[in-house]
Amino acid sequence: REGLEAAKALVERAEEADRRRAEAAASREAALGAAQRLGPLEEALARLEEEARRGAAAALAAGLAEGEPCPVCGSLEHPRPAAPSGGPSGGGAPVAEAELARAKAARDAALRASSEAAACASKDQAAWDEAEARLLAFLTSSTEDLRA
């Protein structure tokens, strides 16, 4: 009877260790996926911000007049005023603030998801390590009991 209970406990601990290992692997996979989504979002946001800067420069340049001071630097000469760029719509339209806000929100959500998944992976790995240690301790103790 005692041997049967010990065997059941061994199986339970092994199953727990296996479940914790699977949870840790799933959390690591989620963290990796979130990190992979983050890179393209960061790149898209950087492009939009650059387009917004160019659009702002072009808007300022459109108001320049020879002999009148530049609103940014005060110069009376304007040798190379910024020209409108293609923008995200391809038609030279400036980047909309809403578009920048959406890109930043997507980037921030991916950052949070990556951080949360990494924290879960770390927690699940620790739980797996603990379950594995308990299993090993139980096996060691059971083996010693059987020898006695």
Side-chain angles (χ1 to χ4, degrees):
R1 175 88 179 148
E2 199 172 296
L4 181 58
E5 292 302 316
K8 284 181 181 178
L10 174 63
V11 168
E12 287 172 8
R13 283 182 172 82
E15 288 172 345
E16 178 188 6
D18 192 51
R19 188 181 81 255
R20 294 295 187 166
R21 180 201 51 76
E23 289 170 357
S27 295
R28 282 192 303 274
E29 188 67 29
L32 179 60
Q36 287 172 339
R37 287 188 301 278
L38 185 59
L41 289 171
E42 289 281 10
E43 292 169 10
L45 179 58
R47 281 193 305 275
L48 284 173
E49 288 174 333
E50 179 59 25
E51 288 176 19
R53 281 190 290 279
R54 288 182 184 180
L60 286 170
L64 294 175
E66 198 59 44
E68 294 292 319
C70 171
V72 175
C73 69
S75 175
L76 299 176
E77 295 179 12
H78 318 294
R80 293 184 337 184
S85 66
S89 62
V95 175
E97 287 297 317
E99 192 172 3
L100 274 174
R102 280 191 302 275
K104 287 178 182 176
R107 185 251 346 246
D108 292 347
L111 274 170
R112 279 191 305 278
S114 178
S115 177
E116 289 168 5
C120 281
S122 178
K123 181 180 133 241
D124 289 342
Q125 181 67 47
W128 178 27
D129 292 345
E130 182 182 327
E132 199 172 45
R134 284 196 312 267
L135 175 60
L136 182 59
F138 180 81
L139 285 172
T140 302
S141 172
S142 295
T143 304
E144 290 170 0
D145 288 347
L146 289 174
R147 288 185 183 159

